[in-house]
Amino acid sequence: MSTTTVQRPSSLQGARLPKWSPWAIAAGSLAVSVGLGLATGIDSRVQWGLIAALLFVFGTYVIAAGVEGKRQAKDRVATSLVWVAFLLAVVPLVSLVWTTVSRGVKVLDGYFLSHSMGVVADTEPGGGIYHAIIGTLEQVGIATLIAAPIGVLTAIYLVEYGSGHLARAVTFFVDVMTGIPSIVAGLFILSLLLIFDMGFSGFAGALALAILMMPVVVRSTEEMLKLVPNELREASLALGVPKWRTILKVVLPTAIGGITTGVMLAVARIAGETAPVLLLVFGNPFINNNPFEGAQASLPLYVYQQYSNSAGSEAAYDRAWAAALTLIAFVMILNLAARGIARWKAPKTGR
């Protein structure tokens, strides 16, 4: 005798909105926002977007509460707020990149990248950023050579050896240095230049950039070293390996990917600094390959000078946007290189 089982709907499963409902609510909110903006005379698209975001969150709660209940509606509202916050963060970034690219490509070509300003006035067309690229590469490179080893060694001391008053003092000063304005670092190095009767140079700017870079390297390296499992250290020490060799052969190779990423991010952070460069490097329209003697140029300083000395010249504005686009590309290449090195040096995991 055969029996049949009757499948009854579960009483715990209520009505659910379809998967496409958030997109429909978003489209409806945007349409209502545009209609309200046109009806009330609001011309700003930013205000339209803010109104649409409010309508999207409110509409999500009302519709979800009517169909799924208040508990599920609160969950959907939380998800909607996350999406709204994401869009609010992405839209200005996309707008900035779009504006820089659209205005920077006007004069960005091989001639612009391979020539300096030379005898070209800021208000005249022509010229390029070769001298600024050389200055930026040399200043950032020297700053990295100074700050990266000091920052990594400081982080190793804090994580592996640090204890007592000295470690707490070092941690305190690293926290203080993280928040100092860039102009303060520039003024500090400028005071040293005045004391020792030294002139403007790319090296002086690199010293100020190194001060800004060091705390970032220390903090990022410290966090990466803390992520290394203690079991690896204990296994190495149990085999009789000295602590210094354990750090060199076990801890650092395990964390090298994250350390490299932190250093690259610190380099990207100082690459766009203008205030210390303005005080210490001073700017130079001609090519100066010697960072230890004479004024130099840099990309952020070039952008500032082209914009401030343009006197309304369209050619100067175009050069400023093209230099800004070059600087963004430089930072993007550094970030991509950091990701590639981090993936390459990441510990290999097996099954």
Side-chain angles (χ1 to χ4, degrees):
M1 177 171 140
S2 62
T3 60
T4 57
T5 303
V6 179
Q7 298 290 338
R8 296 183 179 180
S10 175
S11 60
L12 298 178
Q13 184 177 2
R16 299 280 297 177
L17 289 174
K19 293 183 179 180
W20 49 263
S21 59
W23 299 100
I25 297 173
S29 301
L30 184 60
V32 173
S33 174
V34 173
L36 289 176
L38 295 176
T40 57
I42 300 176
D43 298 329
S44 175
R45 295 183 179 179
V46 176
Q47 294 178 345
W48 291 1
L50 294 176
I51 294 173
L54 294 176
L55 291 175
F56 174 68
V57 175
F58 180 74
T60 299
Y61 179 79
V62 172
I63 296 175
V67 177
E68 300 176 334
K70 292 185 177 181
R71 184 175 181 180
Q72 188 65 24
K74 292 179 181 179
D75 178 74
R76 288 189 176 273
V77 167
T79 304
S80 301
L81 290 175
V82 171
W83 277 104
V84 170
F86 169 74
L87 291 176
L88 290 177
V90 168
V91 168
L93 177 62
V94 173
S95 176
L96 173 64
V97 173
W98 173 258
T99 303
T100 306
V101 171
S102 60
R103 300 197 61 173
V105 295
K106 293 181 179 179
V107 297
L108 186 60
D109 51 20
Y111 178 88
F112 183 74
L113 296 175
S114 59
H115 287 74
S116 66
M117 290 302 294
V119 295
V120 179
D122 290 337
T123 57
E124 297 177 355
I129 58 172
Y130 179 75
H131 60 304
I133 294 176
I134 293 296
T136 295
L137 293 177
E138 291 182 348
Q139 294 157 28
V140 172
I142 294 174
T144 304
L145 291 176
I146 296 173
I150 297 176
V152 171
L153 292 175
T154 302
I156 292 175
Y157 166 75
L158 292 176
V159 176
E160 304 294 339
Y161 297 98
S163 62
H165 298 293
L166 180 58
R168 287 193 291 270
V170 172
T171 302
F172 172 75
F173 282 111
V174 169
D175 292 337
V176 172
M177 289 178 62
T178 304
I180 63 171
S182 59
I183 190 68
V184 175
L187 289 174
F188 173 71
I189 300 299
L190 180 61
S191 64
L192 296 180
L193 295 183
L194 295 177
I195 291 174
F196 294 101
D197 194 22
M198 300 172 62
F200 300 105
S201 66
F203 179 71
L207 291 178
L209 296 179
I211 293 175
L212 299 174
M213 183 178 177
M214 261 185 271
V216 181
V217 176
V218 172
R219 275 286 167 247
S220 60
T221 304
E222 187 178 0
E223 295 302 321
M224 291 301 105
L225 294 177
K226 288 179 179 179
L227 292 177
V228 178
N230 285 327
E231 289 78 5
L232 295 177
R233 298 180 176 90
E234 295 170 356
S236 178
L237 295 174
L239 294 174
V241 180
K243 187 170 184 177
W244 68 268
R245 194 172 183 86
T246 299
I247 296 172
L248 188 63
K249 295 295 185 178
V250 177
V251 177
L252 288 180
T254 305
I256 190 64
I259 294 173
T260 304
T261 302
V263 172
M264 289 296 183
L265 292 177
V267 170
R269 182 249 189 273
I270 65 172
E273 289 292 344
T274 307
V277 176
L278 180 62
L279 289 176
L280 303 169
V281 180
F282 194 68
N284 188 353
F286 296 94
I287 299 173
N288 180 13
N289 294 321
N290 186 3
F292 299 98
E293 183 179 357
Q296 265 193 328
S298 70
L299 285 174
L301 181 59
Y302 179 89
V303 174
Y304 169 76
Q305 290 177 335
Q306 289 297 309
Y307 187 82
S308 61
N309 301 333
S310 62
S313 172
E314 192 66 25
Y317 288 151
D318 292 339
R319 286 194 296 265
W321 282 107
L325 179 58
T326 305
L327 185 59
I328 291 176
F330 174 68
V331 173
M332 183 181 67
I333 292 172
L334 286 179
N335 281 274
L336 292 177
R339 289 178 179 272
I341 294 174
R343 181 172 297 182
W344 174 44
K345 291 295 185 178
K348 302 298 185 294
T349 58
R351 293 184 179 272

